[in-house]
Amino acid sequence: MSMPHPTAGPAAGCPVSSAPGTPAALYGPGLDGNTMPDLYERLRAAHGPVAPVTLAPGIDAWLVLGHRELLRLTREEQDFSHDPRRWSLLREGRVPPDSPILPMVGWRPALLFADGQQHRRMRGAVSDALAGINGHELRRSVRAAAEGLIAGFAAHGEADLVAAYARTLPMRVIAGLLGVDDRTGRELVEAVAGLVSATSGARDASRRMGTILQGLIEEKRRVRGDDIVSALLHHPAHLTDEEVLHNLVVMFVAGNQTTVNWIATTLRILLCDPALRSSLSGGHLSVDDALDLVLWRFPPTQNFPARYATRDMRFGGQDVRAGDMLILGLAAANADPEVLPAGGAPVVGNRSHLAFGAGPHTCPAQDPARLITRTAVDTIRHRLPDLELAVPEDELRWINSPWSKGLGTLPVRFTSPQLPRGPVPPQSAEALTPAWQPRPH
């Protein structure tokens, strides 16, 4: 690799050196979803659209910050492979088996790590499984689960909307789509949180997730259900159990955590930006407009692994070598001054952001994720119309992760909940109307 390979990068949050080839740490206790945007701009100023970073001690990579460069990275598979077995550090035995980065970038037989025909085969099965989601029933399920959660804390006049709402709601909905109960859903969410933390516990979290999903696959092999797991197991692409397991890992990691962050961040913006909230209440903006502004400014996934150069090349002003790892800097590319209007703010209605990636590997679950997020935000706005932040905005706590821009807490208070009449809606995944229906292939 053309950049140096130090045993540790500079401390997170320190100024980035302007010396070409000097990597900055994309990890550490001082770097979270709130501080990372400043780091991106320092990297952009020092290195241009592609910058050297370290993901863990001794693990160097390139962070792609430019919008145009990221489009090329995601579209040109002949130059940038998804297969981590091409990664030179891994081939040379320079990645410790217990590295916190390995659970996120280690090879799995899943669509995220495949190119060409193999990718198309698995993506076809995943896309068909997702196409079985009935949008009308999904919306009803999300609203029922949301109203049940709100009813559970409405009498208290205060709540942490991350723990009590944003983190719990997608888990229950996705658990229903997977055909698992609430307990299993909670265990999966806890494993996902450990996996994306990029800490020493990531490896154990990955193992826990695999064990849970393996048991689910064995159960669905015995008794087919109307759910995504059964759809993958019985798809004409004939995915093996191992392929089903690892594609479920990709779907659950990407789908759950992204939706949690999208809900929480949208609620934070509405609570902290009076002008945006007024525009939404007055009908000048739709909830979808607000969701798109969040995807531009605060994408739920900050950075996404990874591509591997298939040849030596000059890319974004850097000498990239065959086998180098490149990280998709989704948040940084969205903030690229080369694509933003003169005022620096994205235009309402513009969906050319890269929050869901681009090219053949664009997220296949973005439509259900949007429906879940829109319904979650809409429901709580109507049920808790006088919702307000309970602490100053600068006291909000953020998750420490190189991948995810997520709030740790969102404490709020309210006085006049507008709850529906009649019995409290069901709160468990088992009680919700199934939102997945079998479809012919």
Side-chain angles (χ1 to χ4, degrees):
M1 196 177 248
S2 57
M3 67 186 80
H5 293 277
T7 56
C14 291
V16 177
S17 168
S18 59
T22 303
L26 207 64
Y27 65 95
L31 202 61
D32 59 29
N34 198 37
T35 59
M36 288 171 76
D38 287 340
L39 173 61
Y40 303 146
E41 295 316 307
R42 295 199 302 271
L43 285 168
R44 200 191 312 272
H47 303 286
V50 177
V53 295
T54 58
L55 303 177
I59 307 298
D60 294 334
W62 299 104
L63 179 64
V64 180
L65 307 158
H67 192 278
R68 179 178 60 186
E69 287 74 17
L70 199 143
L71 285 177
R72 180 185 167 193
L73 181 74
T74 55
R75 291 172 175 173
E76 298 183 6
E77 287 188 324
Q78 72 277 14
D79 289 337
F80 305 104
S81 172
H82 296 76
D83 193 335
R85 291 172 295 188
R86 292 177 176 265
W87 186 19
S88 56
L89 292 186
L90 193 63
R91 291 201 318 267
E92 295 163 9
R94 298 169 63 184
V95 182
D98 60 350
S99 173
I101 192 67
L102 206 51
M104 285 294 288
V105 302
W107 181 82
R108 300 173 184 266
L111 76 169
L112 190 61
F113 306 98
D115 300 314
Q117 178 57 38
Q118 187 68 346
H119 168 253
R120 289 190 291 274
R121 168 179 163 268
M122 288 189 281
R123 185 182 175 94
V126 169
S127 296
D128 286 345
L130 292 171
I133 297 174
N134 181 302
H136 177 70
E137 295 298 339
L138 180 61
R139 187 179 299 107
R140 290 204 321 179
S141 293
V142 176
R143 184 176 296 113
E147 291 184 340
L149 291 171
I150 294 167
F153 58 72
H156 303 298
E158 60 182 14
D160 172 8
L161 291 188
V162 172
Y165 194 70
R167 190 178 294 151
T168 307
L169 179 57
M171 177 271 291
R172 289 189 171 158
V173 175
I174 293 174
L177 293 172
L178 293 178
V180 302
D181 56 29
D182 274 351
R183 180 184 61 80
T184 304
R186 282 193 297 272
E187 291 173 352
L188 282 170
V189 167
E190 290 169 2
V192 169
L195 184 65
V196 302
S197 66
T199 65
S200 57
R203 195 172 178 83
D204 285 340
S206 180
R207 280 196 290 263
R208 289 199 308 275
M209 176 178 286
T211 299
I212 295 168
L213 291 176
Q214 183 60 51
L216 178 60
I217 288 169
E218 291 171 0
E219 176 189 334
K220 298 300 180 181
R221 279 288 188 200
R222 291 192 300 270
V223 182
R224 180 173 182 171
D226 289 340
D227 52 67
I228 286 176
V229 180
S230 298
L232 289 175
L233 286 169
H234 299 281
H235 191 272
H238 300 297
L239 271 60
T240 66
D241 285 7
E242 186 181 24
E243 288 175 332
V244 170
L245 186 152
H246 290 290
N247 279 291
L248 287 172
V249 169
V250 170
M251 294 168 69
F252 200 82
V253 171
N256 182 77
Q257 196 62 42
T258 297
T259 309
V260 170
N261 293 346
W262 198 1
I263 293 170
T265 302
T266 303
L267 293 175
R268 175 182 71 87
I269 296 303
L270 293 178
L271 289 167
C272 299
D273 188 334
L276 181 62
R277 188 170 183 170
S278 176
S279 296
L280 194 60
S281 299
H284 303 295
L285 284 180
S286 69
V287 173
D288 271 317
D289 291 333
L291 296 183
D292 284 322
L293 288 173
V294 169
L295 291 178
W296 268 108
R297 297 175 180 171
F298 312 101
T301 301
Q302 289 273 295
N303 303 301
F304 199 78
R307 303 292 191 273
Y308 306 90
T310 61
R311 61 180 179 86
D312 294 351
M313 69 184 81
R314 187 74 176 167
F315 179 56
Q318 305 286 2
D319 291 319
V320 175
R321 305 300 182 195
D324 281 3
M325 174 192 282
L326 299 102
I327 301 298
L328 285 68
L330 304 177
N334 276 357
D336 188 344
E338 294 291 326
V339 299
L340 289 179
V347 176
V348 172
N350 183 345
R351 291 189 178 178
S352 61
H353 57 74
L354 297 173
F356 293 110
H361 282 252
T362 302
C363 174
Q366 55 185 288
D367 288 341
R370 177 179 288 271
L371 191 154
I372 293 169
T373 304
R374 182 200 306 126
T375 307
V377 171
D378 229 8
T379 302
I380 202 166
R381 284 180 59 242
H382 287 94
R383 296 305 180 199
L384 303 175
D386 64 346
L387 200 64
E388 62 179 27
L389 200 60
V391 300
E393 185 180 3
D394 59 9
E395 291 183 12
L396 293 175
R397 184 172 58 82
W398 296 81
I399 294 170
N400 186 263
S401 169
W403 314 114
S404 177
K405 183 179 178 66
L407 280 168
T409 59
L410 186 61
V412 297
R413 54 179 172 248
F414 46 89
T415 58
S416 305
Q418 304 294 313
L419 298 180
R421 295 180 179 179
V424 175
Q427 295 190 52
S428 67
E430 305 98 296
L432 297 176
T433 303
W436 192 92
Q437 298 174 356
R439 299 182 65 175
H441 298 298

